[in-house]
Amino acid sequence: MQKKRIYIQEVACRDGFQNEAAFIPTDDKIEIINRLSDCGFAKIEVTSFTSPKAIPALRDAEEVMHRIQRNPNVVYTVLVPNLRGAERAMSCGVDEVNLVMSVSETHNQSNLRMTRERSFEQLAGIIGEVKSTPVAINISLSCSFGCPMEGDVPQDEVLSWADRFAELGVHGITLCDTTGMAYPTQVRALFEDCKARFPALELTAHFHNTRGMALANANAAIEAGINRFDVSLGGLGGCPYAPGASGNVCTEEMVHMLELMGMDTGVNLEQLLQASALLPGLIGHDVPSQILKAGPRLKLHNPVGSMARSQ
Amino acid sequence: MQKKRIYIQEVACRDGFQNEAAFIPTDDKIEIINRLSDCGFAKIEVTSFTSPKAIPALRDAEEVMHRIQRNPNVVYTVLVPNLRGAERAMSCGVDEVNLVMSVSETHNQSNLRMTRERSFEQLAGIIGEVKSTPVAINISLSCSFGCPMEGDVPQDEVLSWADRFAELGVHGITLCDTTGMAYPTQVRALFEDCKARFPALELTAHFHNTRGMALANANAAIEAGINRFDVSLGGLGGCPYAPGASGNVCTEEMVHMLELMGMDTGVNLEQLLQASALLPGLIGHDVPSQILKAGPRLKLHNPVGSMARSQ
């Protein structure tokens, strides 16, 4: 029987690195991205073309995009917040621009400093510019599974924003669980509707492990027919509302689980673990990844005595 | 529609505390257990009646069992490794004894210092003694989802050991993912067979979060018809083969997810979080629980500016 193909999209270098206090040297970013390009990802989010003032951690966006060795089998995408960012991104020959706004009014205003309608206008302007080029367009909708300030966001609210972007001709829509509020039954219901509504679009699930449910949510999304996931090496990334809690769903834990479940992620777990092992040295602190500590399930050990009756 | 009832069994005071280097004062153990008795658990594993030399952390087993305030709605169970332990346990009026052996020959020998056949003989002897009393008997089968030294354990091997204990008249069987090797498709397949084979027995799933899959595995077990889970407050507990990796599935994360999914765990999450918040002070270090850091999904925040475009 043909294995189910799952497309894995690495976002650590954007969603993860942007949260790091210390600047990660450009050469180190490039080395990690080059390693990731050989791991078998369908897509890599390389950086964000935002104002260096807003996110100094990613102030080297152009240099990184220009200097990485691109693998023709990988789609290189970047986050762009505005038209200026889109122009900078396209001048670097990106394959895709990833736009973002929040489906929660309060979150959009506190995170992007403007109303959702203003964000939509701006993003519509970018889409108008990019549409005439070969560059693909993805919209990431933050807080699709709940807002840390407003609470639940009605499913119809999420889908109506998705509708508006679909009408503008985006190629893909990502529903983001920005602060780890998603839970399996909700994930399945929302993505089933989304899948039925946008059969022709690339639909991506973007989960955070803030409350431990990331892998359970991934399985619920797969049951709803979703086959694309944003993941983050080492589980990097975070949530300003949950200090100390873990970040995005961990790439190596996701790949490890899905491959064990008989799916084809296209990703090489061994190379992934080698790349992930570099992160603590790079960012100066431990990462949430459990697999990095425990190893894959069949990494065997020599018999040792443990008088604690472990169960 | 009637909510699906899930029975939650707390094991932190045994599976968790036995792994702590520093001795937790008897009064503190009793206070935590008394608090847990009010949270709505179906069962609490209080301690282990092993040799104080083997597990000094639980050397106060008798005193703890005698002094806790018992809630008539809670089944108080204890781990017993041998006949002497069973006698000590019964002299304290436990409701259930929990026996343990490994389905992996190598793990049983390194963990219990005897062959599986020798373990079975000993446990059969205990069952013979306890059967004539009102005390219930549960058998916990370690490494049911894999052995850290042998690797995969054939499903038939696991079930054949379960058969032998069922024939001896145990009331319950727990399949333990001792070192976090279980994955969802495997969990579902093994528990579906187990459920079909032992319709009259109390079947429990015991997962560790060593590789991040604990909650995903819980959902797979529920799909297989399992409604009893061993869980550990704060995610306490560990695995000698995965230093630094997290321990048992976290009680509050499990309850949080299942209640969100519309199931009835009978457990009060707020009281649970208050009890879990005491752990770091009690054991002198942080606990794996994510919910303890992030709070429940609808714990709302005031709007704050976060210039990082969190997605």
Side-chain angles (χ1 to χ4, degrees), chain A residues 238-261:
Chain A
C239 165
Y241 308 102
S246 54
N248 295 59
V249 59
C250 174
T251 305
E252 53 267 40
E253 286 174 10
M254 180 82 155
V255 167
H256 179 257
M257 180 184 77
L258 297 181
E259 292 283 336
L260 287 170
M261 292 174 75

Side-chain angles (χ1 to χ4, degrees), chain B residues 5 20 28 48 88 113 156 179 181 191 212 214 232 284 295 311:
Chain B
R5 179 74 164 98
E20 294 304 320
D28 294 340
S48 177
R88 288 168 59 200
R113 301 263 186 270
D156 290 348
T179 62
M181 293 172 71
F191 271 118
S232 179
Q311 181 190 330

